[in-house]
Amino acid sequence: MSVDQATLDAVIASLTTKPAPAPKPHCLARCGERLDPMLVTDPATGAGWHIGCEPAAQPEQPVPPADLFTVVTGPAATGKTRAMDRFVDAITAPPPPTLDDLRALLYDHEANSARSRQKKIGPSEIGVPCQRALAYKLAGTPEQPDLRLPWAPIQGTAVHAYIADALTAHNEILGRERWIVEQKVWPDDTISGSGDAYDTDTGTVIDWKLVGDSSITKYRKEMRPEYRVQAHLYGLGHERAGRDVLWVRVVCLSRSWDYGKSWEWTEPYDPEIAQKALDRLYATEALLTDLDVANNPAMWGAIPATPTKDCRYCRFFRPNTPADDTGCPGNPDPWA
């Protein structure tokens, strides 16, 4: 076998040619310091990074949720319709006020509550001093709309529910029913109401009122007539249910942070107070019929009224107009 001269020269050249030297290790930061071969990350070029020379890691950019914007392409992708503009707006603008949403929610919830929908007069309204206001309630006269959130009644409802839970739990601890809680009672065959509590140990009817400190100061001088009558009506209801009623009590719970400012009013149970209130109620009902106010609105002025500086709080207050089937002018000088 013979080998031509060209093949022989190529074999000799391959045996005698030195391999190309490996690339010199160097730092990509061009710091000028020698780079340890162990730190080379690209063997083909000898490049790598000194510890401390490597660039800081860049944080990943957040990917906007798909539902925060709509990708728009073409001519429409301008101005505030661009995806990034909408995303920036979404993450920089605060959400709508929760207070406003909560106000509307609570207002609607309270308007649809059983208490707000109640049309029939109850023990809490029978003792109102003004007979004309009582007559308006009996006649079903539309009340002056109040667009304010009934925040105080809402708080009262919450406190009543909490106390009811606490008394029920105490009964379980005692293993007996000391407290009769939220019991529906009937002062007569047509009037009913839910009594807050009855203490079987002391024969005491209890009604909770969540009030401001100024009201407590006022009630210390004279208990509000509506509250007093209401307590005795509940007492009559418990008595008709076969319970021994000795005392009636209105517990005025302070709406402030200090429970110690709370105060309670107590007096012996007197069924005559409750009966007189019922008699007045039915006499007012008869007066509405006798005066035929449904067909003679002007006769509302013949129903006795008790104007006071508190007339402005009455839901039937219609100032500067004669009393009729829409309301009453009340005290012409509410600040007198």
Side-chain angles (χ1 to χ4, degrees):
M1 175 179 178
S2 61
V3 179
D4 60 75
Q5 187 60 43
T7 301
L8 182 61
D9 291 342
V11 171
I12 294 172
S14 66
L15 295 174
T16 57
T17 302
K18 294 182 179 180
K24 184 178 180 180
H26 62 280
C27 180
L28 288 170
R30 300 182 181 277
C31 62
E33 297 292 332
R34 178 180 177 277
L35 181 71
D36 191 307
M38 294 292 292
L39 298 178
V40 172
T41 57
D42 185 0
T45 63
W49 296 93
H50 283 113
I51 298 175
C53 287
E54 67 267 30
Q58 297 298 317
E60 294 185 3
Q61 295 299 317
V63 178
D67 59 348
L68 289 181
F69 64 89
T70 302
V71 176
V72 181
T73 59
T78 59
K80 290 189 179 298
T81 62
R82 291 183 305 171
M84 187 52 64
D85 285 348
R86 296 188 61 184
F87 173 61
V88 170
D89 289 345
I91 62 175
T92 58
T98 301
L99 274 174
D100 292 346
D101 289 343
L102 183 61
R103 182 194 302 276
L105 185 152
L106 291 175
Y107 187 91
D108 291 342
H109 187 74
E110 177 66 15
N112 291 297
S113 67
R115 181 183 62 222
S116 297
R117 296 197 310 268
Q118 177 184 326
K119 300 299 181 182
K120 189 176 180 181
I121 196 166
S124 63
E125 302 160 306
I126 292 176
V128 60
C130 181
Q131 188 177 10
R132 189 179 294 168
L134 179 63
Y136 278 126
K137 188 69 179 180
L138 282 169
T141 302
E143 298 181 353
Q144 184 78 275
D146 189 348
L147 301 180
R148 298 172 301 174
L149 178 68
W151 188 229
I154 289 174
Q155 293 179 64
T157 298
V159 170
H160 275 66
Y162 191 92
I163 293 176
D165 288 345
L167 297 184
T168 301
H170 189 229
N171 284 341
E172 294 176 358
I173 293 173
L174 295 175
R176 62 184 178 88
E177 191 177 38
R178 172 183 174 179
W179 307 99
I180 296 178
V181 183
E182 296 293 337
Q183 179 70 48
K184 188 172 185 177
V185 294
W186 296 80
D188 74 357
D189 293 339
T190 60
I191 302 296
S192 66
S194 180
D196 291 342
Y198 170 76
D199 185 354
T200 61
D201 282 4
T202 62
T204 305
V205 171
I206 303 171
D207 197 56
W208 317 111
K209 301 295 183 186
L210 186 66
V211 296
D213 293 343
S214 60
S215 293
I216 291 177
T217 300
K218 183 168 63 174
Y219 299 158
R220 284 179 180 271
K221 299 176 182 177
E222 182 181 7
M223 175 46 59
R224 186 170 172 173
E226 296 98 311
Y227 294 169
R228 182 173 184 246
V229 169
Q230 182 182 12
H232 285 281
L233 285 169
Y234 284 145
L236 181 57
H238 281 287
E239 184 179 57
R240 294 184 77 219
R243 303 182 184 101
D244 293 329
V245 181
L246 302 177
W247 301 93
V248 294
R249 172 171 287 167
V250 177
V251 178
C252 297
L253 299 169
S254 174
R255 193 178 282 119
S256 73
W257 62 272
D258 188 358
Y259 177 86
K261 293 183 178 181
S262 302
W263 171 78
E264 60 187 27
W265 168 91
T266 309
E267 75 176 12
Y269 165 60
D270 186 351
E272 187 175 348
I273 294 175
Q275 191 58 55
K276 284 183 177 180
L278 292 172
D279 292 343
R280 174 175 176 261
L281 173 71
Y282 294 123
T284 304
E285 200 169 43
L287 184 60
L288 288 171
T289 302
D290 294 342
L291 295 176
D292 193 16
V293 293
N295 297 310
N296 300 283
M299 295 304 295
W300 275 100
I303 299 176
T306 310
T308 69
K309 64 180 181 180
D310 292 331
C311 284
R312 63 188 185 277
Y313 302 122
C314 179
R315 298 298 296 275
F316 304 107
F317 181 49
R318 305 287 194 279
N320 305 319
T321 58
D324 58 16
D325 56 352
T326 65
C328 169
N331 188 346
D333 184 4
W335 303 106

